[in-house]
Amino acid sequence: MKHIPTCSFGKDSIATALLALQHGEPLDELVYSEVMFSDTVSGELPEHKRFIYETAIPYFEKRGIPTRVLRGQKTYLDCFYRIVSRGNAEGKLASFPLTGRCSIQRDCKLPPIRTYQKTLPHDTVYYLGIAADEPIRLARLKANQTSLLAKYNLTEKDAQAMCQAEGLLSPLYAFTGRGDCWFCPNASMRELRHLYNAHPDLWQLLLELQDAPNKATERFNRSYTLHDLDLRFCLEGEQLSFFTYGER
């Protein structure tokens, strides 16, 4: 029987692996599905990607736990440029995914996990990073899924503290409470502002998509196009510069 956590290397999944090591729970490997923006550009924020490959994976490898890295056949760009085949948007680019529905997770992240699961023994147990204070998610666990965080009564706050104590808290938690792709339409304004300021190269890739013709939707999220956001952040920067200059 195999025991495997599906790991995003966020605080809950890392805390799950740490609990397994601390309490002698069986743990065969970590499984990480990396969503890709393109064939060469990761969907992970650069600082989180460095954390995964330079800190987290080596940490567990030194303790005898390997990480299996999976990648799907489809990238974000494949999904963006897909031609809609039916409905009101027939013939247009699928373009930006809908807010509130993670079609990128469905089409890019989950397929390689499901393909790999088919190669595993039927009695494999999957550890999921669901905290003790997430009753709705816990109620959805299937027979072959379990939460070590719930078993040992750790909340999300406890999980973050555990990761921090072990030097395994991703730097992305300095500006967000979650870990998602940098092109996620559900991103908060704070996350989008961080992308604009810290990663202008990635921001530029999104602006180029905004300019693509014949899209099913022009909005990046429910309220804004990327050009709307770009102007907003630019004006915020100019205002900050004005007040900073005035204080001198």
Side-chain angles (χ1 to χ4, degrees), residues 233-245:
F233 297 150
C234 178
L235 292 175
E236 287 178 354
E238 290 180 355
Q239 185 179 40
L240 180 62
S241 297
F242 173 80
F243 283 112
T244 302
Y245 178 82

Side-chain angles (χ1 to χ4, degrees), residues 122-187:
H122 73 279
D123 59 352
T124 297
V125 175
Y126 299 97
Y127 295 137
L128 300 188
I130 303 177
D133 53 349
E134 296 182 277
I136 295 177
R137 294 184 66 203
L138 288 172
R140 295 174 184 159
L141 287 174
K142 299 178 181 177
N144 63 342
Q145 298 172 335
T146 189
S147 165
L148 293 183
L149 293 174
K151 179 178 179 179
Y152 293 101
N153 198 32
L154 267 68
T155 65
E156 286 194 273
K157 187 176 180 179
D158 295 330
Q160 180 159 334
M162 174 180 278
C163 293
Q164 184 132 28
E166 203 63 34
L168 287 174
L169 187 66
S170 172
L172 65 81
Y173 291 107
F175 57 87
T176 181
R178 64 191 195 120
D180 284 310
C181 300
W182 52 264
F183 42 72
C184 181
N186 299 311

Side-chain angles (χ1 to χ4, degrees), residues 68-89:
R68 185 177 297 272
V69 179
L70 307 175
R71 287 179 181 166
Q73 295 182 346
K74 290 184 179 180
T75 67
Y76 177 87
L77 290 186
D78 292 328
C79 298
F80 184 93
Y81 285 109
R82 177 180 64 84
I83 303 299
V84 178
S85 59
R86 59 185 178 181
N88 294 334

Side-chain angles (χ1 to χ4, degrees), residues 32 34 36 40-42 44-54 71:
Y32 165 54
E34 182 177 10
M36 299 295 289
T40 58
V41 178
S42 176
E44 303 285 6
L45 278 168
E47 53 265 57
H48 187 52
K49 181 179 178 180
R50 286 193 297 272
F51 166 77
I52 291 171
Y53 286 101
E54 298 175 15
R71 287 179 181 166

